[in-house]
Amino acid sequence: QVQLVESGGGLVQAGGSLRLSCAVSGRTFSNVAMGWFRQAPGKEREFVAAISWSGISTTYADSMKGRFTISRDNAKNTVYLQMNSLKPEDTSVYYCAASTSSSSSLPFRLGSWGQGTQVTVSS
């Protein structure tokens, strides 16, 4: 199991930006795809984005395309989620996830996830 620790959440106004970070530990980090999920109160967990082990291929939920960007730096054992043009609807707890596959293709093969970081977007 890969250990994941998210950070970078906070309170921002609509239209603002945040960059979430996910510190990853585990010998297989460079060999697996990574992703982000979110879950708001009263809603089911929602897929946000995924990135292949190489960092070349990415997959996004339709509602996040053009606003969110996932990236990874394997040398730093870190995955990022750059969030721009944030909307109040983006308010959620965001979770970093490690796949059991090297591919970013859906469905995401969830292997483990972190504790989450809160993102709140105000009007």
Side-chain angles (χ1 to χ4, degrees):
Q1 184 175 345
V2 179
Q3 184 175 359
L4 312 170
V5 181
E6 302 94 334
S7 62
L11 174 64
V12 297
Q13 293 185 340
S17 299
L18 281 175
R19 188 177 77 160
L20 306 183
S21 297
C22 174
V24 184
S25 63
R27 297 180 62 186
T28 62
F29 173 70
S30 296
N31 297 322
V32 299
M34 300 292 298
W36 290 91
F37 291 81
R38 68 185 186 184
Q39 187 168 25
K43 297 183 179 180
E44 296 183 355
R45 187 181 64 183
E46 178 185 20
F47 171 77
V48 175
I51 186 167
S52 65
W53 74 268
S54 66
I56 296 175
S57 299
T58 57
T59 304
Y60 297 92
D62 289 340
S63 61
M64 263 64 79
K65 291 181 179 178
R67 298 192 301 122
F68 291 8
T69 302
I70 188 172
S71 61
R72 68 190 296 168
D73 187 338
N74 290 349
K76 296 182 179 180
N77 296 327
T78 304
V79 182
Y80 305 97
L81 183 68
Q82 179 67 46
M83 304 185 294
N84 299 325
S85 301
L86 284 165
K87 306 174 182 179
E89 299 92 299
D90 295 319
T91 296
S92 186
V93 177
Y94 284 73
Y95 298 90
C96 183
S99 175
T100 59
S101 171
S102 62
S103 174
S104 61
S105 299
L106 300 181
F108 190 88
R109 304 297 185 181
L110 181 63
S112 59
W113 61 92
Q115 85 289 346
T117 184
Q118 177 70 47
V119 172
T120 303
V121 184
S122 63
S123 300

